Structure formats: C-alpha cells, structure tokens
Amino acid sequence: MRDPAPRRLRRAAALLAALVALLLVPLLAGPARAQDAGAALARMATEQFAQIEAGIADLTASGSPLALPALEALADGRLYYSPDKSVFIKQADGRWIDARTGAASAADPASPKPVRLNNRVRRALEAALGSLSLMNPDPAKRLAAAEAVVKSRDAAALPAVEAALAKETDPRIRKALSQAKAATTIFLDTATESEKVAAIETVAGRGDQDALNLLGAVRERGTPILKLAAETASAGIERRLALLNGLQNVWYGLSLGSVLLLAAIGLAITFGVMGVINMAHGEMVMLGAYTTFLVQEFLRTRYPALFDLSLPIAIPLAFLVAGAVGVALERGVIRFLYGRPLETLLATWGVSLILQQTVRTLFGANNREVGAPSYMAGSFDFFGLTVTHGRLWIVVFAMAVFACLLFVLKATSFGLKMRAVTQNRRMASCMGIRTPWLDAMTFGLGSGIAGIAGVALSQIDNVSPNLGQSYIVDSFMVVVFGGVGNLWGTLVAALTLGIANKFLEPVAGAVLGKIALLVFIILFIQKRPRGLFAQKGRAVEA
Amino acid sequence: MTFRVTSFLAGAAVAAGVTLASFAAQAQDTIKVGVLHSLSGTMAISETTLKDVMLMLIEDQNKKGGLLGKKLEPVVVDPASNWPLFAEKARELVQKDKVAAIFCCWTSVSRKSVLPVVEELNTVVFYPVQYEGEESSKNIFYTGAAPNQQAIPAVDYLAENEGVKRWVLAGTDYVYPRTTNKILEAYLKSKGVKPEDIMINYTPFGHSDWQTIVADIKKFGSAGKKTAVVSTINGDANVPFYKELGNQGVKATDIPVVAFSVGEEELAGIDTKPLVGHLAAWNYFQSIDTPENKAFIEKWKAYTKNPKRVTNDPMEAHVIGFQMWVKAVEKAGTTDPNAVIDALIGVTVPNLTGGYSAMMPNHHITKPVFIGEVKADGQFNVVWNTPAPVVANEWSPYLEGSKDLIADWRAPLSCGNFNVKTGKCGGAGK
Amino acid sequence: MIASRLLAGLDLKGRVFLAALAGLAVLVPVLNLAVPETSALHVPTYVVSLLGKYLSYALLAVALDLVWGYCGILSLGHGAFFALGGYAMGMYLMRQIGPRGVYGNPTLPDFMVFLNWKELPLTWYGFQSFPYAMLMVVLAPGLLALVFGWFAFRSRVTGVYLSIITQAMTYALLLAFFRNDMGFGGNNGLTDFKDILGFNIQAQTTRVGLFVATVVALALGYAVARAMVNSAYGKVLIAVRDAESRARFLGYRVERYKLVAFTVSACMAGVAGALYVPQVGIINPSEFAPANSIEAVIWVAVGGRGTLVGAALGAIVVNFAKTWFTGALPELWLFGLGALFVLVTLFLPKGVVGTLSAWSGGRRQAAPAGVAAAPAAE
C-alpha cells in the first residue's frame, strides 16, 4: 500500500528521522562521532558527486556538531578540500577552518579545491539542512520542513513529526505538522480505517494540488471506504482548483494588461491626444530600459549597497531621458508634419531605426542584464494563488502611472491647456495658449511615460535594441481598441486584451490566441471605427 | 559599462578598408574568405560575435604567414537577418568576390536559404550552430551539434543522474525545436516513458509573457514524479522565461531546466542567481579548464579589448571549422572547392576542450558532449561529459522518414541521403 | 487598338519608363547570354537575379502607389499580399520538386516528412498545376483584399485607423504562417526549389527568362495602373483621396471605388511576390513582417507618391542602396535608411520624381501638386 515516493524524498525523510532521534536522545560519546564526521568529510574530498552525496548522508547521520557548519559552508560554496583529503571551511574574512576539528587551520591548505555541487548533491544538502529545521528556532524554516514531509509522505518521518507536534506552539506550523502526520498516516499499514478517513479529511483541508495528488494515490489503491472518502474530498478540491484557475487567469491577465497599459499609455497621449502616429514610441520604452541598465551599472560599481534603490532612481531619469528625446523629436521633425499624420508615421519610423541602431552601436546588440531589486524578486502565496512580487509591483505601478496621468490631464493647468488644444487648436491659440510649446511638452510627456514603462519592462523582458519593436504593434492595438483620445478607454482596452489573452491561451495556445485577438480587433474596428470609447464632438472629424 | 564607440569607429574604418582593399586585392593575390553573419536585425545579437571570431582567426592565420603563401582576406557582408538576403549575399560572395569558403549563418532558415546557391556554385560553407539535423549537403560542413550530440545525452543525464520520470518539452515554434522534440519524444518512448508523462509546448518567437506556461509546468511537475524541462526555447524568449521561473520560485532542485540554446552569451543578459543549477548541454563551455581554452579566451578578450567578453559553443565551432579548412587547403594544396571538399573528410584538429574533432564522411564532426549547471556568475559548472567524442547522426534513427538514410560523401557513394534499405541515393530512392 | 489607346494616355514620363523597361528586357539578356564573361560589358547572372528582385519590388511599389497615391489608403499590409502571392508560387515550386526531395517522398514536401505528416493538407491540393498556382497567385491576395476592404471601407474606417488595422492584418498573418501546424513550413518557409515549368530554376537561361517575365509584368502593371488612374474611374478615385466626404455627398459610392482599387492593387502585389520567390529562392513568414510593408511605403515616398513611375524608381533605388550599403558599410545601413525616411518626408514630400516634374515645365495642375497640398489626412 505504500506509495513509491521518489527515492530522494524517502532518503530525506530518513535523514530527518535519524536527526530528530539523535537530537532528542541525550548525546552519546562524542569522540566516536567526531571520528565518523571526519571520515564522512574525507569522503567528500573528491570529484565524484555520488561520493559527495554519500558523504553528506554520513555527515548528517554522524550527528556531530561539526556537521551543520560544514554543510552550510558547502551550500555557500565555501567548503574546500586538499589533495590529502583534508577538508576546510573558508571564512568570509578569507581565513581557513579545519572542518574536521572546527578550529582555525594552522596553515593555509595546499592547493584547495571547492567541493563540487550539482542538483543531486544540492538536493541531498537541502534535505539534510532542512531536516535540522524541524526544531529550528526560525518558524519559517520549521514550516518548510513540515511541508516537505507532506510531500514526501514517508512513514519513517512520522515519529519525528509527532515529536515536533508535541512541542510546536505556532498554530500555522501545527496545522502543517498535523497535515504532515495525516499524509503519512494514510499510507501507514498499522493505522485503522477510521484513522485514515480522518487523515483524508485533514489532508483535504489543504485544498491544493498536493492534496489532490495524495488523494489520487488513495483512489488508486485504497479500500472501498477510503476510495469513497477520497473521491468526495477530491471533488471538492477540484471545484476549488477550477475556481482558483479562473482567478489565476484573471490575475495573469491583469498583469499582462498592466504591461500593455504601460506600453500603450504614452502612445495614448502622443497618438490619442495629439494625433501623431509615433512609430518611435517603442524606442522610447527601450531608452527607459537602457536608462535603468545604466543606473544599475553605476550603482553596482560605485554604491552596491544602494542597489535596491535603482528603480526609484531610474524612474525620474528614464522620464527625463525619454522625455528629452521626445521633445527633440517633436521640435526637430514632427512639428513640420502636423496635419499630415501618415507622413509622421514614416518619419518616426525612420527615427526609430536610427535610435535602435544608435543603441546597438553604443551598447552592443546583446541583451543587457538588469537585475531585480530584492523586493521585486520571489513570490508569495495568496489563498493558493502564486503571486510574484515583480508582477504585483508592475500592476501597482501601472495603476499609479495611470492615476498620475489622469491627474495631470484633469487637475493641472497644463492638462487644461492640453485638452483645450486637442479640442480646438485655433481657439486655444486665440486664448493665448502657446500651442507650439504645448505640443512639445505634450509629446515630451507621452515619451517620458514611455520611458517610465521601459523601467518596468526591463524587469520582465530583454533589454536589447529590439525591445521597443516587440511592443509597438500591441500598443497601437490597445490605443485603437480603447478609442483614441481617451485614457479610460486605453485602461479598459489594455486590461480587457490582457485578460482575454490569458483566457484564450490555455485553450488555443499562445499564438492562436494572439491571432484571434488581432482578428477580433480588426472586426471590432469595423463595428466601431473609433474604438470602445469614441471621443464625441466635431474635433475628431477635423 | 563599456561603450562601443571606439569599436564602432574601428568597425566602420575596417569596413571602409575592406571596400578599398577589395579594389587593391586583384593585384595582391590573396585568398578571400566570406563571412556571412547578420550584423543588424534580430539575429545580430548572436551573429556579430561570430563575425568577430572569424576576423580574429583570419588575422591570426595571417600572422602565422597566411595560407599557401598567400594572405587571407576576410570579406564581411551583412545579410541583416533577412533570409532571402542570405542567398543573395552568398551569391555575391562567390560570383563577385570569388571567395574560397564561406563561414555562415546561425538560424536553420538562413542555412536553407543559402543551400541551393552554394550547391549550384559549388562553394565550401561552414555552419557553426547546433541544429535539427535531417540534412547533409555536399557543400556544407556542419561544425555544430546534431540532436544526438546534444539533446539525447542531456536527456540521458537527467534520467540517470536526476531520476527524471516526467518531461516537459518546451520550445519555440520553428523547425529546430519541432524536430528535436519529435526525436526526443520518440527516444523517450523507446525508453519506456508513458505518453502522459510527456508535455509538449510551443510558443512563438520572442514570447514574453510566460506566466501561464510556467504555472502549467509547475502543475505538471507536482504530480509526484521527478520532472524536468527540456527547453529548445530560442534566443530572446529565454530571458523572460528564466525571469518568470525565478520569480515563481521554480528551483533547479525541484524542476531542473536543461536548455540547448542558452549559452554564456545569453546568460550575460540575465541575473543568474535564481537560476543556479539549471542546466545546459553543449559541446563547449567557457569554464572548461584546458590550456587551449585558456589561451583562446585570453586571445579573444585581448582581440575585443573587453575583459568581460564571454566565449560560447558556436564560437568554438568556428574555430574548429576554420582550422579544418586551413588544414584541408594545405593538404589539397589549392582552394579549389572539389579538392578541398574531398580533403576535408578525415581532417582532425584539436578542439578547445582538450580533445580532437574529426570531420566525418557525413560532413558533420565528432564532438564531446558536456552538461553544465548554471553558476551564480553566469558561467557553467560542468557536471558530466561523454567519455569520448560522439559521431553525429545527421539522419535521426528515431524519425520515421529518416531512419533508413545515411550520408557518405566519399566516392563512390557520394550521397547525402543514401537509403540503406533500397540501396539507392535520393531519399526513398524511387 | 488597346495598346495604342494605352500609349495615348501616357505622359512623357510613362513613355520613357516603358521604353527603359523595354530596353532592359532586351539589353540585359543579351549582355548576360551573348557577351562573353571576360568582357567588361558582361552582366553576371547574379546581377540579373538581383535586377529581377528589384523589379518585382518595383511592381509592389506601383501597386502600393495605386492605393496610396491615388486613393489615399496608406496600406501598411501590402507585404501580406506580396507574401501570399509568393507562397502560392512557392507551393507550386515545392510540388514540382516531387521525389527529388531529400526523403524522396513523391508528394509531400520535405518539411512535412520530417514532421511526420502523413498526407498532403487540403490547402496544398492543386498546386502541382501551374495554371492553378497562377490563379491562386492572384486570387489569394485578391480575395483577402476584397473581404478585408469590403468590411473596412463599408464601415468607413479611414486614415490612420485603416493603416493600423492593415498592419494588424499582416501581423496576424505573420504569426499564423510562423506556426508549423499551418502546414506552410513554419519559420523555414519554402526553399530548395528545383524547377519551374520544367526548366531548371538555377539555370542561367531560366533566370534570364524570369527576369524578362518580371520586366513584362512590371510594364503591364504600370500600364494597368496608369489606365485606371487616367480613366473617369481614376478621377473619382482622386476625388475620394482629396475629399472623401465631398465625393460621397456628390453621390459616388466611395467604398466601391476604393474596394476596386484595393483589390486590383493586392492582385498586383501578389504577382510581384510570385515573381520574387523563384528569383530569390526562398519564401518565409518574415515577408509578412510589418516592417517590410512599411519599407515598401518608403520606396513609394522616396520616388514620389502618386506618380507610379516614381514609385517603381524609388523601389529600385532604395533597394540598390540597400544592397550596396549592407555590403560596404553594414553598421551604417540602418542609419542611412532611417535618415532617408526622415529627410524624404521633411524635405521631399513629393518624392524625387514628383519634385522633378514640379520643377520642370511648371505643370502645376499635374497630380503630384495635389498630393502635396492635400494628402490623405482625414
């Protein structure tokens, strides 16, 4: 009846059990341990991964206090060995510790080589380190260790789990431990049927994929009663998961929509408000991304401690850089072409080629590395939904940019003038608004926002000269779909397209989904040639 | 932050020099070598490096006294990542510039575009990138890996050393991933992997939103069996893919990803710390510690005047290809294509990883296979390698259409698609 | 009879252009086939193919000028029609390979064999026949244009919006053709052609033949376009371009006029694509890339919008420059192309030919002047 859990998990669990047992039982004679540890360490002084892995197992099994520092050093790549099979730990200050004694090494080791790691060794190492964690003072580590047992569902871990459960006070960890206990109980030959049914209920309380996998195993091999219990429980979980899947698609769609919104919102100003078809818009995004790269590069070489501030610093700079290029573009080229929208399309396309090639000659054609600050990395669990920090920040950021822009347009005198010029240029001019200056500033604003978008996109996409190209068609689609000259339209369009895309993707595949959306937009434009939220009035007919 | 203004100016000067030189060349009597790599457009990202390698190799050879007593002269043209332009430029190189050999291409489509031209004009071409196989031309010498020199060893490694039982074959939707995945699928099934344990996924070029697919992979991988991703995702799409993997917390110890198109150059654009332990399979890694490799890396860094420049597998392929060509020309005593093509078969040169590579009668070379794990510094830690160089299967035994085909360009067979069943040259031989 | 009427409708530029084409059609074959290779006057075969390529681009430019210059439709999707024509020709050429493919399969092209396709997809039926393929060369782009135009013009999608949805159209096709499941060879496209109508496609004489065919097609395309714009229909077309609402109020069914021009233009682009493919030897989805269509627009702009001759010349000159630049100064090519876009739109809004004819003779009533004064702004 035992589930053939992967070998590594069983081994990990066995280790865990051994360790916990060793920790609970009063320590036996020390010297023998030290000897075992020494032998285990000597085993690791090799090129062979299998030997290193075995060494880790021996070392943990030895229960020696020397094990933990040596394993931690190995995880950090600070564990070295010499040809004479002596093993050393390199300290942060460059000094050496003899791993077999734990004392400072008398002499520097002769030709030290780092003990090598591969995924297999790393896994054994993680399991070994993790097994120490069931009693770890850090609650997060204890929780992770309990979760590991839920996945491994190995009977050998049961005593250790029970021991831990007896001492645990944190309710969350207690819950995880009891689930771990249940997960192992289900497959225990000695447990009674009623115990198992109760265990099934406990496990089903998780309501996630792990629980479903576990119940699946019961449904294959359990007694009729257990099967029935498992089936009822899995049906509930499946409903929950289906709902969650829908939610996940909405979230992915929102995040994709935010990316589209960021890419398109600058265009909503230059194209939507000013009527300029700016094909160089994508390149403004690219300039923003490269600005981020430069800021990070500068911080990395000069002030590495400030790396986390790189994005807040890059945002205003990207706005200024892209905005300045935008103003120059408006003054240098576009102002001669007002009233000839199709010509601006060609001229700005030319500008986009020039900008791309300039960046390519300055920075090279290769992708540039833009790192994620610590708060953008990783993910968290939101009721079973994996939400990555980076995406969450981008969604928040996109909404913030949108709100700021709305504020500028609706609540500042600059915005008022801008709207006046859009609605009736000549009248606005008569009222004393310097329309050429306003044109330049508006274009600068649109370009600057594209630059800001570049900062965000640098976190999820390639920073290469082609960055802008990949967003230009999508951006135009968003603006046209939403209705030119309407910021709310752009917001709705971006989010709609993002979510629609994510719901189509699992059904039709990424490519067909995208094609379907393009065809939809083409047809939609036939129905409503001015987009979702058409601007009313005579101005648009001009 | 290295601005490339100087190198750009130098490039412009060289380019101008080349044009001027091409007028002077008639008198000086040099041997011309065509370098056909995209310097602009989407493929510039990968191919510019190969052009630089070729220029360095040619300069080096000239320092050693050239070839057959003549200087070598590079002719660099830019096909601008435009496939028809590859064919046009190849024709121009042969008919106008009269080059003796062409070092060309990155993508399969560019090679396919050039192929009819070079077969017609009978030119020697070296192709340095790993590809899907299923081709053997009289005129093309494939110095990159065929699927059995990269993909199959990688899968074997994962199955044996990591105990992988469930496979995600993720690729960009074009011929290389399609064919490689077809081969891998057949291979895995022949090893007893069940169809429900294989998930195949294709995405378009430059795909940037990987949320759904990474989530699917996670789900597929949580079914209790050890899961790995075999990635034939191409170029630009890799960075967002790896970023998403890192963000969603897919660690190499949970679901390792082995990639066939991600090398040192590609990693240079990514923060590799979350990716430590993911794998790549190549025939060369910069981190391989041999005297030849060390010397090459130093030379490369000095040549590009950039101490941070990395080396990668296709670069080594060009190094091998160029050395083979030089040796074959010396052996033949002429640059006449027929003589060189005959002389090339059997030529053996040292590779950069401490062994030797030989040109086989199927116009592919023998290569050692290495599996590397990504390190935090963007380099690879070699964790496994084949004991001996592997001979390429240009026609995969795992594909229905090609299992009976072999290529042997030696007389009297002289055939790129000989059918061993029917005993005739020309595919099915009907 | 028709010919004389056509000739009568031509202005000086047109006559010079047709005469030059006739000259090319005679001179190039002679210089290639009859003059020995050692002679300085010899035209190498690769130049013949290169010229053929330029001329097929020129035909695309003429097609584009017909809709943009005379009808005010700035299509950013003409590359799609060109590529569709090219694919139709490519499919014919693939079927001609027959059992000579590397796998020796008599019906399936190589890429289908190694992707394990068992039988020919429906879309490929009939392409072994040349007349059917030629029909599809015209019909495929023509139908697409008809349907697309019928929707777009009927609902009065104009100006910028039209440009952007034509771009969306070609982008969608690009994505679709990249998919291997579509059965058009995916990214690798169609290549390694063997022969056309029984002639070896690599042979010198075939190449010359294809070149002559391209010259004839360009001359015909020009003549058709010229006849269209000179007719009463053409006058209405120009009226639509300059003031669409006014033309509509006068009682013209504007959308029909546009639809005819758009469809004819798409067919011409398809023919251009069909002539392009055998001469360059490959057709691949990147021909659908929006950038290609935009580049075609710049040829027209450089040569002179609304002049037809200018469009053809623009295509030839820009592509010649591209060939030269990418060989000589590869790093500078994109700067050059980009600057060309900017400078032409800023300083030569009428293009080279338009500016020249405005200078010479001061024939102000000529079409180009109208173009500059009232471009296709809504």
Side-chain angles (χ1 to χ4, degrees), chain A residues 4-9 49 116-120 122-123 126 151 153 209-210 213 241 245 248-249 251-256 259 293-294 297-298 300-301 307 357 360-372 376-380 386-391 457-466 470-471 501-502 505-506 509-511 514, chain B residues 1-5 7-8 39-46 48-49 157 160-163 173 202-204 206-216 218-219 222-226 235-241 243-244 246-249 251-254 256 265-273 276-279 308-309 373-374 381-384:
Chain A
R7 210 175 50 215
R8 65 173 183 94
L9 289 174
F49 291 119
R116 295 169 74 206
L117 282 174
N118 70 353
N119 279 331
R120 217 168 112 189
R122 216 172 274 125
R123 260 197 301 277
E126 270 172 25
K151 280 190 186 150
R153 41 185 140 134
Q209 190 70 38
D210 287 331
N213 295 338
L241 283 182
N245 202 24
Q248 178 169 299
N249 279 341
W251 163 248
Y252 288 167
L254 273 181
S255 112
L256 176 65
V259 170
F293 163 70
L294 286 180
E297 204 66 0
F298 178 78
R300 226 176 249 156
T301 46
F307 186 76
Q357 191 63 14
R360 196 172 282 132
T361 30
L362 287 179
F363 296 96
N366 293 28
N367 289 334
R368 287 303 171 153
E369 179 188 336
V370 173
M376 297 276 287
S379 59
F380 64 93
T386 308
V387 177
T388 60
H389 289 127
R391 296 279 177 177
L457 292 186
S458 72
Q459 289 299 312
I460 53 166
D461 210 336
N462 292 293
V463 178
S464 79
N466 305 329
S470 43
Y471 287 98
N501 197 334
K502 283 295 154 189
E505 197 179 314
V511 193
K514 191 150 192 196
Chain B
M1 147 170 63
T2 19
F3 288 99
R4 298 212 323 172
V5 179
S7 74
F8 163 63
L39 311 178
S40 57
T42 48
M43 288 314 297
I45 211 167
S46 311
T48 318
T49 316
Y157 170 80
E160 280 161 25
N161 288 281
E162 304 229 6
D173 188 3
Y202 291 106
T203 39
H207 190 68
S208 62
D209 194 277
W210 290 93
Q211 301 180 88
T212 312
I213 291 163
V214 170
D216 284 351
K218 267 172 85 172
K219 202 179 284 169
S222 64
K225 289 183 191 164
K226 178 74 186 163
D236 272 5
N238 273 308
V239 174
F241 175 60
K243 281 187 179 171
E244 191 66 40
N247 283 340
Q248 290 204 22
K251 280 189 296 182
T253 41
D254 308 327
E265 286 251 309
E266 286 77 12
L267 286 186
I270 320 180
D271 178 16
T272 48
K273 278 174 215 77
V276 169
H278 285 308
L279 305 123
K308 280 189 186 168
R309 274 304 273 272
E373 284 186 359
V374 175
N381 172 21
V382 175
V383 292
W384 184 85

Side-chain angles (χ1 to χ4, degrees), chain C residues 164-341:
Chain C
I164 287 171
I165 62 167
T166 51
Q167 192 181 25
M169 172 192 78
T170 190
Y171 186 60
L173 282 168
L174 168 83
L175 291 175
F177 273 74
F178 262 129
R179 296 187 72 231
N180 276 287
D181 296 336
M182 287 283 288
F184 295 109
N187 179 50
N188 274 15
L190 311 175
T191 178
D192 203 10
F193 308 130
K194 305 284 186 211
D195 47 29
I196 178 168
L197 287 172
F199 299 103
N200 179 1
I201 208 162
Q202 308 283 9
Q204 202 179 0
T205 43
T206 318
R207 294 188 162 272
V208 171
L210 281 168
F211 171 78
V212 173
T214 315
V215 175
V216 171
L218 177 58
L220 271 178
Y222 172 75
V224 168
R226 176 53 66 195
M228 275 173 80
V229 300
N230 281 359
S231 65
Y233 162 82
K235 302 296 171 212
V236 180
L237 218 52
I238 293 171
V240 170
R241 174 193 72 191
D242 290 342
E244 181 168 340
S245 306
R246 211 176 294 180
R248 186 174 285 122
F249 295 147
L250 285 171
Y252 291 108
R253 297 292 294 267
V254 168
E255 60 276 8
R256 291 191 186 169
Y257 283 86
K258 281 180 156 180
L259 192 55
V260 170
F262 194 60
T263 310
V264 169
S265 166
C267 295
M268 272 164 72
V271 172
L275 288 161
Y276 167 85
V277 168
Q279 301 193 66
V280 299
I282 181 171
I283 174 84
N284 149 287
S286 61
E287 299 293 337
F288 285 104
N292 283 23
S293 297
I294 296 179
E295 227 181 285
V297 172
I298 201 64
W299 307 335
V300 179
V302 168
R305 190 186 148 198
T307 59
L308 293 182
V309 174
L313 284 181
I316 295 170
V317 169
V318 174
N319 279 294
F320 174 75
K322 186 173 188 170
T323 303
W324 187 81
F325 254 112
T326 49
L329 301 165
E331 306 241 10
L332 292 180
W333 160 241
L334 279 180
F335 285 120
L337 187 68
L340 190 69
F341 273 75

Side-chain angles (χ1 to χ4, degrees), chain A residues 305-534:
Chain A
L306 295 180
F307 186 76
D308 273 357
L309 290 179
S310 58
L311 295 192
I313 297 174
I315 288 169
L317 278 178
F319 183 83
L320 289 179
V321 169
V325 173
V327 171
L329 175 60
E330 201 277 341
R331 287 290 88 189
V333 178
I334 291 169
R335 70 173 161 141
F336 303 107
L337 299 172
Y338 281 120
R340 294 197 278 154
L342 298 178
E343 261 94 338
T344 57
L345 187 156
L346 296 179
T348 50
W349 177 257
V351 171
S352 87
L353 291 184
I354 293 173
L355 284 175
Q356 269 178 51
Q357 191 63 14
T358 311
V359 168
R360 196 172 282 132
T361 30
L362 287 179
F363 296 96
N366 293 28
N367 289 334
R368 287 303 171 153
E369 179 188 336
V370 173
S374 55
Y375 50 85
M376 297 276 287
S379 59
F380 64 93
D381 212 47
F382 183 76
F383 295 112
L385 203 69
T386 308
V387 177
T388 60
H389 289 127
R391 296 279 177 177
L392 182 66
W393 276 108
I394 287 176
V395 173
V396 170
F397 183 64
M399 296 307 148
V401 169
F402 180 79
C404 285
L405 200 58
L406 213 58
F407 176 79
V408 168
L409 283 188
K410 297 277 152 102
T412 62
S413 95
F414 171 68
L416 183 69
K417 288 176 185 164
M418 207 169 107
R419 282 180 294 145
V421 173
T422 317
Q423 279 172 13
N424 195 324
R425 173 173 295 270
R426 285 168 72 187
M427 187 72 85
S429 179
C430 293
M431 300 298 285
I433 296 174
R434 285 164 58 202
T435 53
W437 178 84
L438 203 86
D439 285 336
M441 286 302 115
T442 312
F443 200 83
L445 177 68
S447 304
I449 286 175
I452 291 184
V455 179
L457 292 186
S458 72
Q459 289 299 312
I460 53 166
D461 210 336
N462 292 293
V463 178
S464 79
N466 305 329
L467 171 69
Q469 290 281 298
S470 43
Y471 287 98
I472 189 76
V473 176
D474 287 339
S475 312
F476 270 108
M477 290 307 134
V478 167
V479 176
V480 168
F481 179 53
V484 170
N486 190 319
L487 279 186
W488 285 104
T490 309
L491 176 75
V492 173
L495 297 184
T496 314
L497 290 182
I499 293 173
N501 197 334
K502 283 295 154 189
F503 272 92
L504 280 173
E505 197 179 314
V507 186
V511 193
L512 272 188
K514 191 150 192 196
I515 295 172
L517 277 185
L518 283 171
V519 172
F520 166 73
I521 292 175
I522 292 176
L523 291 176
F524 181 83
I525 294 298
Q526 320 293 341
K527 201 74 205 146
R528 299 190 65 145
R530 303 269 163 212
L532 268 178
F533 298 90

Side-chain angles (χ1 to χ4, degrees), chain B residues 309-363:
Chain B
R309 274 304 273 272
V310 292
T311 58
N312 65 11
D313 180 274
M315 288 169 66
E316 192 224 14
H318 255 351
V319 171
I320 295 173
F322 183 74
Q323 283 173 359
M324 285 183 163
W325 178 71
V326 166
K327 244 185 155 172
V329 169
E330 278 167 354
K331 196 163 115 190
T334 164
T335 58
D336 174 65
N338 286 327
V340 174
I341 287 171
D342 283 344
L344 263 165
I345 293 175
V347 164
T348 304
V349 299
N351 55 29
L352 296 179
T353 52
Y356 285 85
S357 283
M359 180 60 73
M360 303 305 278
N362 59 6
H363 282 189

Side-chain angles (χ1 to χ4, degrees), chain B residues 6-259:
Chain B
T6 44
S7 74
F8 163 63
L9 287 177
V14 166
V18 168
T19 24
L20 287 179
S22 63
F23 291 108
Q26 267 87 20
Q28 269 184 353
D29 197 24
T30 56
I31 297 177
K32 290 192 189 173
V33 180
V35 181
L36 186 58
H37 284 299
S38 298
L39 311 178
S40 57
T42 48
M43 288 314 297
I45 211 167
S46 311
E47 291 193 65
T48 318
T49 316
L50 291 184
K51 176 212 70 176
D52 291 339
V53 170
M54 284 314 299
L55 293 182
M56 179 178 92
L57 291 172
I58 290 168
E59 190 186 288
D60 239 41
Q61 187 66 27
N62 280 337
K63 274 187 205 149
K64 285 190 228 157
L67 188 57
L68 302 180
K70 295 177 192 170
K71 290 271 174 216
L72 291 176
E73 181 193 328
V75 184
V76 180
V77 289
D78 176 20
S81 311
N82 177 334
W83 319 131
L85 214 52
F86 269 91
E88 185 186 314
K89 292 288 170 193
R91 193 173 281 281
E92 193 182 305
L93 282 172
V94 181
Q95 292 196 320
K96 191 176 120 209
D97 297 307
K98 315 265 184 237
V99 297
I102 298 177
F103 290 79
C104 150
C105 314
W106 182 287
T107 59
S108 280
V109 53
S110 57
R111 187 192 67 251
K112 294 252 183 224
S113 169
V114 161
L115 182 130
V117 175
V118 297
E119 284 188 349
E120 177 203 345
L121 304 174
N122 196 17
T123 314
V124 184
V125 172
F126 286 87
Y127 175 70
V129 183
Q130 100 279 15
Y131 83 118
E132 66 276 5
E134 302 298 298
E135 189 181 297
S136 180
S137 161
K138 178 185 174 225
N139 296 86
I140 300 182
F141 292 85
Y142 307 82
T143 52
N148 72 314
Q149 291 174 311
Q150 192 183 20
I152 289 179
V155 167
D156 281 341
Y157 170 80
L158 285 176
E160 280 161 25
N161 288 281
E162 304 229 6
V164 173
K165 298 273 188 315
R166 242 163 118 81
W167 303 86
V168 181
L169 309 181
T172 303
D173 188 3
Y174 72 113
V175 176
Y176 169 68
R178 287 257 174 194
T179 319
T180 307
N181 287 346
K182 276 248 152 45
I183 292 172
L184 286 181
E185 198 186 349
Y187 178 74
L188 288 173
K189 281 181 182 159
S190 78
K191 294 259 159 181
V193 176
K194 290 197 205 91
E196 68 264 23
D197 283 335
I198 301 176
M199 166 177 152
I200 299 183
N201 179 287
Y202 291 106
T203 39
F205 279 94
H207 190 68
S208 62
D209 194 277
W210 290 93
Q211 301 180 88
T212 312
I213 291 163
V214 170
D216 284 351
I217 290 173
K218 267 172 85 172
K219 202 179 284 169
F220 187 78
S222 64
K225 289 183 191 164
K226 178 74 186 163
T227 306
V229 179
V230 177
S231 152
T232 38
I233 295 162
N234 172 274
D236 272 5
N238 273 308
V239 174
F241 175 60
Y242 279 109
K243 281 187 179 171
E244 191 66 40
L245 278 179
N247 283 340
Q248 290 204 22
V250 176
K251 280 189 296 182
T253 41
D254 308 327
I255 302 179
V257 177
V258 59

